Amino acid sequence: MTNRKSWRLGVVLPLLAAPTLAFAAEAPTLNMANTAWMLISSVLVLFMTIPGLALFYGGLVRTKNVLSILMQCFAITCMVSIIWVLFAYSLAFGDGNAWLGGMGKSLMAGVGVNTLKGDIPETVFAMFQMTFAIITPALIVGAFAERMKFSAMMLFSLFWLLLVYVPVCHWVWGDGWLQKLGVMDFAGGTVVHVNAGVAALVAALVLGKRKGFPETAMPPHNLTMTVIGACMLWVGWFGFNAGSALAANGTAGMTMLATHLGAAAGSLTWMFCEWIRFGKPSVLGIVTGMVAGLGTITPASGFVGPLGALVIGVSAGLVCFMATNYMKRSLHVDDSLDVFPVHGVGGVLGTTLTGVFAATTLGGVGFAEGMTMGKQVLTQITGVLVTAAWSGAVSYLLLKLIDAIVGLRVSIEHETEGLDTVLHNETGYNL
């Protein structure tokens, strides 16, 4: 009898425990490989802003303004980092509604050492997303370089982060309404590049041209610095795009390959366009083509194959080259460092083409659930238009408000003297 009872218990107890064991098996567990990759990716994306973007932009301005650019990138990095932890991360990725996250994760409330986001620590996810929030307003700096007050830049960057970047980030990546609509943006075509590009165009128009533009030549003062910064951007972009897979897997591998091909194709296409039109290929042209290729492949990078990446890269080099020349030579818009024609136009192009080259027949991963190519392209265009409208309108209102409070531009005399001396009492070079 005792043996029979033991046999029954041996059968019944595992059956009773089965649901509990199944539930435990489904609970998320830490994946150390994915965590290691995301730690590296976070470092790579931060590396894109300081020193990458800082050096890239710093070399493009004139000698008297180089420190002002480095200072702006550095200050934005510090300010955004603190605001992100205080409450911006919660508004972007916390539990909320289709339009904005809640305040439940303010000051990283509920986020501890063992708290997971998927199978990686939420602290690592928050840090990774922080680096995106840092570089996006830093990109806009290139549009108003050499003429905006430092105080105005800080105010604009702060409120632009909260009123423009955070909502769009939530809409596209935080389970917001654009994500539910089916917009495909793997690493920031709308959230980063269209967003920053449109804000840059608005800023350039509101501030007006630099003294002497376009009659006076304003060549880069240190192309060596610019190329070094461009190389750092290229390497860092692997974390930007491949890191957005949030895992060390095949998607990250294909994303890295697509990113590299987009950069290479964009570089060579811009170089050949310049060679044909002006008779000589320039170093400035090839590195600008690289940035155009990277920005354009960004939204598509995790959804397309090598064929799509090559076509998108070539398209980026050609379209962004034409947009840059048209803005400067025909429209005479003084977007100092070509933020809109490179990032804005590239973001629009890449986000739209994602709806084409994500097709499985073209080597992609397929469209959002229930989508055909036509519906996906229309959905992509909707994401672009909504982002551009929101960024443009709010950026304009912010600039006008800040102008009324502290003023946007330095005086003509201070612009002539240079922002390094006037705003920071320093010079970039003592030769």
Side-chain angles (χ1 to χ4, degrees):
M1 181 66 72
T2 302
N3 290 338
R4 183 175 296 178
K5 286 182 178 179
S6 299
W7 179 83
R8 287 174 179 172
L9 288 173
V11 172
V12 173
L13 287 177
L15 291 175
L16 292 174
T20 304
L21 292 172
F23 178 78
E26 293 174 2
T29 56
L30 178 69
N31 186 304
M32 288 187 288
N34 292 346
T35 300
W37 168 236
M38 293 311 300
L39 286 167
I40 294 169
S41 295
S42 300
V43 173
L44 286 171
V45 183
L46 181 61
F47 186 70
M48 290 174 66
T49 305
I50 49 172
L53 185 70
L55 292 176
F56 182 77
Y57 277 177
L60 292 175
V61 297
R62 288 168 289 180
T63 306
K64 60 185 179 181
N65 296 311
V66 58
L67 287 184
S68 70
I69 291 293
L70 302 181
M71 180 70 169
Q72 288 171 12
C73 290
F74 208 99
I76 286 173
T77 299
C78 298
M79 179 176 66
V80 172
S81 299
I82 293 171
I83 300 300
W84 189 252
V85 169
L86 288 178
F87 50 85
Y89 171 71
S90 185
L91 291 173
F93 291 99
D95 293 332
N97 52 44
W99 300 94
L100 198 63
M103 294 291 284
K105 292 185 182 293
S106 298
L107 277 173
M108 297 287 113
V111 180
V113 174
N114 298 316
T115 308
L116 298 182
K117 185 79 170 181
D119 61 3
I120 64 173
E122 189 167 4
T123 51
V124 177
F125 176 79
M127 180 67 196
F128 179 68
Q129 293 297 338
M130 178 198 291
T131 59
F132 279 67
I134 287 169
I135 197 170
T136 308
L139 288 173
I140 306 171
V141 164
F144 49 69
E146 304 192 301
R147 61 197 186 278
M148 184 181 262
K149 292 180 179 179
F150 184 72
S151 57
M153 183 280 303
M154 290 291 284
L155 286 171
F156 176 74
S157 298
L158 170 62
F159 288 104
W160 191 88
L161 172 79
L162 295 175
L163 298 177
V164 180
Y165 180 83
V166 164
V168 175
C169 179
H170 181 76
W171 298 347
V172 178
W173 292 336
D175 199 29
W177 71 278
L178 285 178
Q179 186 174 15
K180 292 175 180 177
L181 187 66
V183 172
M184 299 174 70
D185 185 355
F186 193 77
T190 53
V191 180
V192 176
H193 296 289
V194 173
N195 220 0
V198 171
L201 176 61
V202 172
L205 293 172
V206 171
L207 265 79
K209 304 171 185 177
R210 287 168 291 177
K211 179 186 175 183
F213 182 90
E215 293 82 12
T216 303
M218 300 178 185
H221 89 279
N222 191 334
L223 276 177
T224 302
M225 180 187 293
T226 295
V227 173
I228 292 171
C231 295
M232 292 174 175
L233 284 171
W234 193 334
V235 173
W237 223 292
F238 293 131
F240 196 88
N241 285 0
S244 294
L246 302 180
N249 57 16
T251 298
M254 182 61 81
T255 301
M256 184 174 284
L257 177 60
T259 299
H260 189 69
L261 291 174
S267 294
L268 290 180
T269 302
W270 191 298
M271 182 194 76
F272 281 116
C273 287
E274 199 172 54
W275 203 344
I276 292 169
R277 180 164 182 180
F278 303 116
K280 294 181 181 179
S282 72
V283 171
L284 177 58
I286 198 169
V287 297
T288 306
M290 177 215 73
V291 175
L294 287 168
T296 306
I297 193 59
T298 288
S301 56
F303 302 128
V304 303
L307 172 63
L310 285 171
V311 175
I312 289 172
V314 171
S315 301
L318 178 62
V319 173
C320 294
F321 171 80
M322 293 190 297
T324 299
N325 281 276
Y326 181 70
M327 282 191 64
K328 285 226 182 293
R329 298 173 185 273
S330 299
L331 298 181
H332 295 161
V333 175
D334 190 12
D335 178 348
S336 307
L337 308 182
D338 302 322
V339 182
F340 176 73
V342 173
H343 295 278
V345 172
V348 171
L349 180 64
T351 303
T352 304
L353 290 179
T354 300
V356 175
F357 290 100
T360 54
T361 54
L362 298 175
V365 300
F367 304 123
E369 186 176 353
M371 293 281 186
T372 62
M373 182 182 291
K375 288 179 66 176
Q376 189 66 63
V377 169
L378 289 175
T379 302
Q380 298 299 102
I381 293 172
T382 300
V384 167
L385 292 177
V386 167
T387 302
W390 181 257
S391 179
V394 178
S395 298
Y396 178 81
L397 293 174
L398 277 176
L399 288 164
K400 286 296 185 181
L401 181 61
I402 293 169
D403 192 25
I405 297 172
V406 300
L408 289 175
R409 286 191 68 146
V410 298
S411 66
I412 294 297
E413 293 76 16
H414 286 172
E415 185 180 334
T416 301
E417 187 176 350
L419 303 191
D420 291 356
T421 302
V422 169
L423 298 182
H424 308 295
N425 198 31
E426 297 172 300
T427 57
Y429 304 97
N430 293 300
L431 303 176

PDB file of all heavy atoms in Angstrom, residues 1 9 45 67 88 93 97 121 132 142 173-174 195 219 248 278 291 353 359 406 411:
ATOM      1  N   MET A   1       0.831  -1.212   0.000  1.00  0.00           N
ATOM      2  CA  MET A   1       0.000   0.000   0.000  1.00  0.00           C
ATOM      3  C   MET A   1       0.867   1.264   0.000  1.00  0.00           C
ATOM      4  O   MET A   1       0.603   2.228  -0.696  1.00  0.00           O
ATOM      5  CB  MET A   1      -0.917   0.003   1.239  1.00  0.00           C
ATOM      6  CG  MET A   1      -1.851   1.218   1.333  1.00  0.00           C
ATOM      7  SD  MET A   1      -3.084   1.253   0.010  1.00  0.00           S
ATOM      8  CE  MET A   1      -4.154  -0.076   0.531  1.00  0.00           C
ATOM      9  N   LEU A   9       1.655   9.559  -5.663  1.00  0.00           N
ATOM     10  CA  LEU A   9       2.225  10.883  -5.391  1.00  0.00           C
ATOM     11  C   LEU A   9       3.280  11.254  -6.429  1.00  0.00           C
ATOM     12  O   LEU A   9       3.386  12.391  -6.865  1.00  0.00           O
ATOM     13  CB  LEU A   9       2.850  10.904  -3.997  1.00  0.00           C
ATOM     14  CG  LEU A   9       1.865  10.905  -2.820  1.00  0.00           C
ATOM     15  CD1 LEU A   9       2.628  10.752  -1.505  1.00  0.00           C
ATOM     16  CD2 LEU A   9       1.046  12.195  -2.811  1.00  0.00           C
ATOM     17  N   VAL A  45      27.312  54.267 -29.587  1.00  0.00           N
ATOM     18  CA  VAL A  45      26.433  55.378 -29.955  1.00  0.00           C
ATOM     19  C   VAL A  45      26.845  56.651 -29.229  1.00  0.00           C
ATOM     20  O   VAL A  45      26.816  57.741 -29.805  1.00  0.00           O
ATOM     21  CB  VAL A  45      24.955  55.029 -29.677  1.00  0.00           C
ATOM     22  CG1 VAL A  45      24.049  56.174 -30.142  1.00  0.00           C
ATOM     23  CG2 VAL A  45      24.563  53.746 -30.385  1.00  0.00           C
ATOM     24  N   LEU A  67      35.592  75.845 -31.035  1.00  0.00           N
ATOM     25  CA  LEU A  67      35.307  75.483 -29.651  1.00  0.00           C
ATOM     26  C   LEU A  67      33.819  75.563 -29.333  1.00  0.00           C
ATOM     27  O   LEU A  67      33.320  74.806 -28.500  1.00  0.00           O
ATOM     28  CB  LEU A  67      36.084  76.392 -28.689  1.00  0.00           C
ATOM     29  CG  LEU A  67      37.596  76.152 -28.581  1.00  0.00           C
ATOM     30  CD1 LEU A  67      38.196  77.056 -27.522  1.00  0.00           C
ATOM     31  CD2 LEU A  67      37.894  74.695 -28.257  1.00  0.00           C
ATOM     32  N   ALA A  88      12.489  61.947 -18.772  1.00  0.00           N
ATOM     33  CA  ALA A  88      12.289  61.787 -20.215  1.00  0.00           C
ATOM     34  C   ALA A  88      12.185  60.316 -20.615  1.00  0.00           C
ATOM     35  O   ALA A  88      11.379  59.956 -21.488  1.00  0.00           O
ATOM     36  CB  ALA A  88      13.410  62.476 -20.994  1.00  0.00           C
ATOM     37  N   PHE A  93       9.230  55.697 -22.723  1.00  0.00           N
ATOM     38  CA  PHE A  93       9.078  54.236 -22.692  1.00  0.00           C
ATOM     39  C   PHE A  93       8.275  53.710 -21.500  1.00  0.00           C
ATOM     40  O   PHE A  93       8.082  52.506 -21.388  1.00  0.00           O
ATOM     41  CB  PHE A  93      10.468  53.581 -22.696  1.00  0.00           C
ATOM     42  CG  PHE A  93      11.201  53.744 -23.991  1.00  0.00           C
ATOM     43  CD1 PHE A  93      12.169  54.733 -24.141  1.00  0.00           C
ATOM     44  CD2 PHE A  93      10.918  52.934 -25.075  1.00  0.00           C
ATOM     45  CE1 PHE A  93      12.838  54.901 -25.348  1.00  0.00           C
ATOM     46  CE2 PHE A  93      11.582  53.089 -26.280  1.00  0.00           C
ATOM     47  CZ  PHE A  93      12.543  54.078 -26.421  1.00  0.00           C
ATOM     48  N   ASN A  97      -0.151  56.042 -22.690  1.00  0.00           N
ATOM     49  CA  ASN A  97      -1.161  55.834 -23.721  1.00  0.00           C
ATOM     50  C   ASN A  97      -0.497  55.856 -25.089  1.00  0.00           C
ATOM     51  O   ASN A  97       0.732  55.785 -25.185  1.00  0.00           O
ATOM     52  CB  ASN A  97      -2.265  56.893 -23.615  1.00  0.00           C
ATOM     53  CG  ASN A  97      -1.695  58.306 -23.591  1.00  0.00           C
ATOM     54  OD1 ASN A  97      -0.803  58.646 -24.372  1.00  0.00           O
ATOM     55  ND2 ASN A  97      -2.211  59.142 -22.693  1.00  0.00           N
ATOM     56  N   PRO A 121      19.204  43.866 -19.004  1.00  0.00           N
ATOM     57  CA  PRO A 121      18.860  44.755 -17.891  1.00  0.00           C
ATOM     58  C   PRO A 121      18.194  46.035 -18.412  1.00  0.00           C
ATOM     59  O   PRO A 121      18.627  46.596 -19.430  1.00  0.00           O
ATOM     60  CB  PRO A 121      20.217  45.053 -17.253  1.00  0.00           C
ATOM     61  CG  PRO A 121      21.093  43.920 -17.648  1.00  0.00           C
ATOM     62  CD  PRO A 121      20.636  43.520 -19.016  1.00  0.00           C
ATOM     63  N   PHE A 132      20.680  57.746 -27.989  1.00  0.00           N
ATOM     64  CA  PHE A 132      19.904  58.229 -29.135  1.00  0.00           C
ATOM     65  C   PHE A 132      19.338  59.611 -28.842  1.00  0.00           C
ATOM     66  O   PHE A 132      19.335  60.505 -29.698  1.00  0.00           O
ATOM     67  CB  PHE A 132      18.759  57.263 -29.446  1.00  0.00           C
ATOM     68  CG  PHE A 132      19.159  56.063 -30.252  1.00  0.00           C
ATOM     69  CD1 PHE A 132      20.004  55.104 -29.728  1.00  0.00           C
ATOM     70  CD2 PHE A 132      18.691  55.887 -31.539  1.00  0.00           C
ATOM     71  CE1 PHE A 132      20.381  54.000 -30.472  1.00  0.00           C
ATOM     72  CE2 PHE A 132      19.048  54.777 -32.298  1.00  0.00           C
ATOM     73  CZ  PHE A 132      19.905  53.833 -31.757  1.00  0.00           C
ATOM     74  N   GLY A 142      24.341  71.671 -36.165  1.00  0.00           N
ATOM     75  CA  GLY A 142      24.984  72.004 -37.433  1.00  0.00           C
ATOM     76  C   GLY A 142      24.225  73.019 -38.259  1.00  0.00           C
ATOM     77  O   GLY A 142      24.816  73.699 -39.108  1.00  0.00           O
ATOM     78  N   TRP A 173       8.498  53.909 -31.112  1.00  0.00           N
ATOM     79  CA  TRP A 173       9.188  52.808 -30.419  1.00  0.00           C
ATOM     80  C   TRP A 173       8.599  52.450 -29.062  1.00  0.00           C
ATOM     81  O   TRP A 173       8.934  51.398 -28.521  1.00  0.00           O
ATOM     82  CB  TRP A 173      10.668  53.167 -30.215  1.00  0.00           C
ATOM     83  CG  TRP A 173      11.463  53.238 -31.472  1.00  0.00           C
ATOM     84  CD1 TRP A 173      11.198  52.618 -32.663  1.00  0.00           C
ATOM     85  CD2 TRP A 173      12.672  53.977 -31.684  1.00  0.00           C
ATOM     86  NE1 TRP A 173      12.159  52.907 -33.584  1.00  0.00           N
ATOM     87  CE2 TRP A 173      13.085  53.749 -33.022  1.00  0.00           C
ATOM     88  CE3 TRP A 173      13.455  54.794 -30.880  1.00  0.00           C
ATOM     89  CZ2 TRP A 173      14.235  54.310 -33.548  1.00  0.00           C
ATOM     90  CZ3 TRP A 173      14.605  55.365 -31.403  1.00  0.00           C
ATOM     91  CH2 TRP A 173      14.994  55.125 -32.727  1.00  0.00           C
ATOM     92  N   GLY A 174       7.770  53.300 -28.508  1.00  0.00           N
ATOM     93  CA  GLY A 174       7.268  53.071 -27.154  1.00  0.00           C
ATOM     94  C   GLY A 174       5.871  52.498 -27.113  1.00  0.00           C
ATOM     95  O   GLY A 174       5.128  52.785 -26.177  1.00  0.00           O
ATOM     96  N   ASN A 195      13.199  63.939 -37.815  1.00  0.00           N
ATOM     97  CA  ASN A 195      12.947  64.802 -36.674  1.00  0.00           C
ATOM     98  C   ASN A 195      13.980  65.926 -36.576  1.00  0.00           C
ATOM     99  O   ASN A 195      13.652  67.119 -36.537  1.00  0.00           O
ATOM    100  CB  ASN A 195      12.986  63.949 -35.399  1.00  0.00           C
ATOM    101  CG  ASN A 195      11.919  64.325 -34.403  1.00  0.00           C
ATOM    102  OD1 ASN A 195      11.126  65.229 -34.623  1.00  0.00           O
ATOM    103  ND2 ASN A 195      11.898  63.629 -33.279  1.00  0.00           N
ATOM    104  N   PRO A 219      34.834  78.098 -46.089  1.00  0.00           N
ATOM    105  CA  PRO A 219      35.272  76.699 -46.179  1.00  0.00           C
ATOM    106  C   PRO A 219      35.575  76.116 -44.799  1.00  0.00           C
ATOM    107  O   PRO A 219      35.827  76.847 -43.837  1.00  0.00           O
ATOM    108  CB  PRO A 219      36.553  76.800 -47.012  1.00  0.00           C
ATOM    109  CG  PRO A 219      37.081  78.170 -46.718  1.00  0.00           C
ATOM    110  CD  PRO A 219      35.878  79.033 -46.546  1.00  0.00           C
ATOM    111  N   ALA A 248      22.251  39.930 -29.688  1.00  0.00           N
ATOM    112  CA  ALA A 248      23.397  39.499 -30.491  1.00  0.00           C
ATOM    113  C   ALA A 248      22.942  38.304 -31.318  1.00  0.00           C
ATOM    114  O   ALA A 248      23.165  37.156 -30.964  1.00  0.00           O
ATOM    115  CB  ALA A 248      24.568  39.131 -29.578  1.00  0.00           C
ATOM    116  N   PHE A 278      31.895  68.698 -60.906  1.00  0.00           N
ATOM    117  CA  PHE A 278      32.895  69.734 -60.642  1.00  0.00           C
ATOM    118  C   PHE A 278      34.294  69.388 -61.122  1.00  0.00           C
ATOM    119  O   PHE A 278      35.216  70.177 -60.978  1.00  0.00           O
ATOM    120  CB  PHE A 278      32.938  70.052 -59.140  1.00  0.00           C
ATOM    121  CG  PHE A 278      31.606  70.484 -58.584  1.00  0.00           C
ATOM    122  CD1 PHE A 278      30.959  69.719 -57.635  1.00  0.00           C
ATOM    123  CD2 PHE A 278      30.995  71.657 -59.028  1.00  0.00           C
ATOM    124  CE1 PHE A 278      29.729  70.108 -57.115  1.00  0.00           C
ATOM    125  CE2 PHE A 278      29.771  72.051 -58.522  1.00  0.00           C
ATOM    126  CZ  PHE A 278      29.137  71.282 -57.567  1.00  0.00           C
ATOM    127  N   VAL A 291      27.878  59.942 -44.493  1.00  0.00           N
ATOM    128  CA  VAL A 291      26.846  60.280 -43.498  1.00  0.00           C
ATOM    129  C   VAL A 291      25.452  60.175 -44.121  1.00  0.00           C
ATOM    130  O   VAL A 291      24.504  59.677 -43.492  1.00  0.00           O
ATOM    131  CB  VAL A 291      27.082  61.689 -42.933  1.00  0.00           C
ATOM    132  CG1 VAL A 291      25.943  62.087 -41.992  1.00  0.00           C
ATOM    133  CG2 VAL A 291      28.415  61.751 -42.193  1.00  0.00           C
ATOM    134  N   LEU A 353      11.674  54.121 -48.582  1.00  0.00           N
ATOM    135  CA  LEU A 353      12.177  52.949 -49.301  1.00  0.00           C
ATOM    136  C   LEU A 353      12.139  51.676 -48.454  1.00  0.00           C
ATOM    137  O   LEU A 353      12.177  50.565 -49.001  1.00  0.00           O
ATOM    138  CB  LEU A 353      13.601  53.198 -49.799  1.00  0.00           C
ATOM    139  CG  LEU A 353      13.742  54.221 -50.933  1.00  0.00           C
ATOM    140  CD1 LEU A 353      15.211  54.392 -51.331  1.00  0.00           C
ATOM    141  CD2 LEU A 353      12.910  53.807 -52.145  1.00  0.00           C
ATOM    142  N   ALA A 359      10.465  43.917 -48.639  1.00  0.00           N
ATOM    143  CA  ALA A 359       9.770  42.790 -49.277  1.00  0.00           C
ATOM    144  C   ALA A 359      10.656  41.546 -49.268  1.00  0.00           C
ATOM    145  O   ALA A 359      11.852  41.616 -49.561  1.00  0.00           O
ATOM    146  CB  ALA A 359       9.397  43.155 -50.710  1.00  0.00           C
ATOM    147  N   VAL A 406      15.330  85.368 -24.530  1.00  0.00           N
ATOM    148  CA  VAL A 406      16.777  85.622 -24.392  1.00  0.00           C
ATOM    149  C   VAL A 406      17.435  86.045 -25.696  1.00  0.00           C
ATOM    150  O   VAL A 406      18.603  86.459 -25.703  1.00  0.00           O
ATOM    151  CB  VAL A 406      17.506  84.374 -23.842  1.00  0.00           C
ATOM    152  CG1 VAL A 406      16.966  83.992 -22.488  1.00  0.00           C
ATOM    153  CG2 VAL A 406      17.410  83.200 -24.814  1.00  0.00           C
ATOM    154  N   SER A 411      25.218  89.181 -31.767  1.00  0.00           N
ATOM    155  CA  SER A 411      25.252  90.390 -32.588  1.00  0.00           C
ATOM    156  C   SER A 411      26.177  90.190 -33.780  1.00  0.00           C
ATOM    157  O   SER A 411      27.011  89.272 -33.805  1.00  0.00           O
ATOM    158  CB  SER A 411      25.734  91.574 -31.757  1.00  0.00           C
ATOM    159  OG  SER A 411      27.091  91.381 -31.369  1.00  0.00           O
TER     160      SER A 411
END
